[in-house]
Amino acid sequence: MNKASKIYVAGHRGLVGSAIVRNLKDKGYTNIIGKTHKELDLTNQLEVRKFFKEEKPEYVFLAAARVGGINANNTYPADFIYENLEIQNNIIKAAHDFKVEKLLFLGSSCIYPKECKQPIKEEYLLSGYLESTNEAYAIAKIAGLKMCQFFKRQYKDNFISCMPTNLYGPNDNFNLQTSHVMPALIRKFYEAKVKKLPFVEVWGTGKPLREFLHVDDMADACTFLMENYEGEEHVNIGTGKEISISALAYMIKDIISYEGEVRFDKGKPDGTMRKLLEVKKLEGLGWKYKIELEQGIKNVVEYILKNNILSL
Ligand code: GFB
């Protein structure tokens, strides 16, 4: 990839895609293209083919996806499997037909089995049953990474995949019904502080462990892989560190200086109890995360206040 290469970031306005665009610009890449959902419906095969034929991108970051937290995944499994398969099938096949130099497909750590040995090595994929709350999304993502592998194997396409852990950062979804835990808890604690509410409700038992990576680190790893990795196997992206949902809640409570109570709603699902990625492969290639969790959360809080994201 050289600095003038034409790079298409699919999903350039989302949490992940927007971070990749920022990272590419910071590194001096000048020819980055993106299309909004209105301009290009990625579930429409004809539109996607027309776009690739006309624009002829040389590099593709496939960061467009239907995503959401545990509740959204659990409530809309048909939409999650269908839309994600459509988006990735259309882009990967068009990238093949219109001779894209290299493509990076982004998945998620939920592709691994529910009862997986920890920390999770890349090779543990498909070694057991999936977590039911996000099975639809995980199956679509597994299909995407396998598709990249098989196009590489059969046609020698330079298509690679990475599997980031739970992400957070600017441009996240702060809708409490569909978001992931990090933006949800930041919103809940902030609202509770402003509205002087007596308690904040945290879903589940608080016992599940999660690994969180700031999206700017993830984007840096994606550019790094695009520049340096050509293997058939996908690569985990994470910190190698985990925290319980309960400890995360108290960390956010402290950062926001909320004085009320924390309550756990055990009627809500915990999801998988643990999904810590092993990141030795990525570290062996020469990349490591930089942003520590507490600092990353402070950055997000600053960002929402500065941009009035929650508009309370
Ligand atoms: O981030 P999250 O929605 O998704 O939830 P997953 C993580 C944990 O936080 C679960 C708990 O144990 C939730 O029950 N939690 C506590 C909350 N309070 C809240 C809250 O207010 N909102 C939310 N959303 N959670 C997703 C998958 O799994 O992770 C996707 O569904 C994807 O497929 C993504 O892989 C990265 O970590 O459980």
Side-chain angles (χ1 to χ4, degrees):
M1 209 159 57
N2 67 55
K3 302 293 176 201
S5 299
K6 192 167 195 177
I7 305 170
Y8 169 46
V9 180
H12 72 294
R13 297 225 286 206
L15 169 74
V16 168
S18 63
I20 292 174
V21 171
R22 284 196 301 278
N23 188 268
L24 287 168
K25 285 188 176 162
D26 281 354
K27 288 188 170 144
Y29 290 97
T30 53
N31 195 1
I32 305 161
I33 52 172
K35 290 277 173 198
T36 62
H37 186 78
K38 223 173 149 190
E39 292 165 334
L40 174 61
D41 175 3
L42 294 172
T43 64
N44 182 316
Q45 190 185 29
L46 289 178
E47 279 188 36
V48 172
R49 294 185 70 77
K50 184 166 176 281
F51 166 75
F52 273 78
K53 194 173 177 191
E54 286 170 3
E55 290 284 348
K56 295 201 171 37
E58 297 169 81
Y59 292 85
V60 174
F61 287 84
L62 208 179
R66 166 99 184 221
V67 298
I70 193 165
N71 185 48
N73 270 270
N74 215 5
T75 314
Y76 311 110
D79 299 342
F80 271 76
I81 193 161
Y82 174 74
E83 285 178 33
N84 284 309
L85 286 172
E86 289 291 281
I87 292 169
Q88 66 205 37
N89 281 348
N90 291 343
I91 294 181
I92 294 170
K93 183 65 164 52
H96 167 75
D97 289 344
F98 297 100
K99 307 207 175 340
V100 162
E101 286 282 326
K102 191 167 185 176
L103 175 146
L104 173 68
F105 174 73
L106 284 92
S108 159
S109 60
C110 67
I111 59 163
Y112 293 109
K114 180 183 172 73
E115 307 287 348
C116 202
K117 216 165 94 186
Q118 311 278 325
I120 307 172
K121 294 184 185 182
E122 285 84 355
E123 69 207 51
Y124 297 164
L125 182 71
L126 294 174
S127 61
Y129 291 108
L130 295 164
E131 155 62 31
S132 65
T133 53
N134 55 37
E135 190 181 3
Y137 180 74
I139 285 181
K141 289 294 179 185
I142 293 169
L145 88 82
K146 284 289 172 193
M147 198 154 151
C148 289
Q149 235 176 45
F150 296 142
F151 271 75
K152 190 177 236 311
R153 198 175 295 171
Q154 185 178 337
Y155 295 111
K156 310 280 176 273
D157 286 320
N158 200 357
F159 295 172
I160 59 169
S161 301
C162 62
M163 297 298 131
T165 187
N166 286 40
L167 302 169
Y168 68 97
N171 294 326
D172 211 337
N173 167 18
F174 286 86
N175 175 317
L176 291 181
Q177 289 315 308
T178 54
S179 71
H180 288 100
V181 62
M182 183 74 86
L185 292 186
I186 291 175
R187 175 175 205 128
K188 286 179 179 176
F189 281 107
Y190 183 67
E191 275 191 12
K193 182 180 164 168
V194 172
K195 296 179 179 166
K196 299 191 175 16
L197 304 177
F199 67 91
V200 162
E201 202 174 79
V202 177
W203 294 353
T205 59
K207 290 188 181 138
L209 296 164
R210 290 289 183 277
E211 177 186 11
F212 293 97
L213 179 71
H214 193 285
V215 76
D216 286 345
D217 272 338
M218 182 239 47
D220 194 59
C222 288
T223 312
F224 174 85
L225 288 171
M226 203 58 142
E227 289 167 340
N228 297 292
Y229 183 71
E230 313 242 304
E232 211 183 75
E233 193 185 49
H234 61 281
V235 182
N236 289 341
I237 306 180
T239 61
K241 292 183 182 171
E242 59 191 344
I243 181 171
S244 71
I245 296 300
S246 163
L248 176 75
Y250 283 98
M251 186 184 274
I252 296 173
K253 176 182 188 283
D254 282 353
I255 290 171
I256 291 180
S257 307
Y258 170 68
E259 312 246 298
E261 200 190 320
V262 178
R263 289 190 193 164
F264 292 91
D265 177 358
K266 293 182 183 144
K268 292 280 195 314
D270 274 336
T272 191
M273 290 312 283
R274 201 175 173 205
K275 47 175 170 180
L276 178 66
L277 293 179
E278 186 185 276
V279 288
K280 282 192 183 144
K281 182 166 174 170
L282 184 55
E283 288 183 1
L285 291 165
W287 188 91
K288 197 173 183 340
Y289 82 100
K290 291 195 186 76
I291 306 170
E292 293 296 345
L293 184 59
E294 196 167 345
Q295 189 52 51
I297 298 173
K298 285 179 183 162
N299 292 352
V300 177
V301 173
E302 253 171 53
Y303 152 84
I304 60 166
L305 295 182
K306 200 170 142 206
N307 297 286
N308 197 20
I309 298 293
L310 305 181
S311 54
L312 295 180

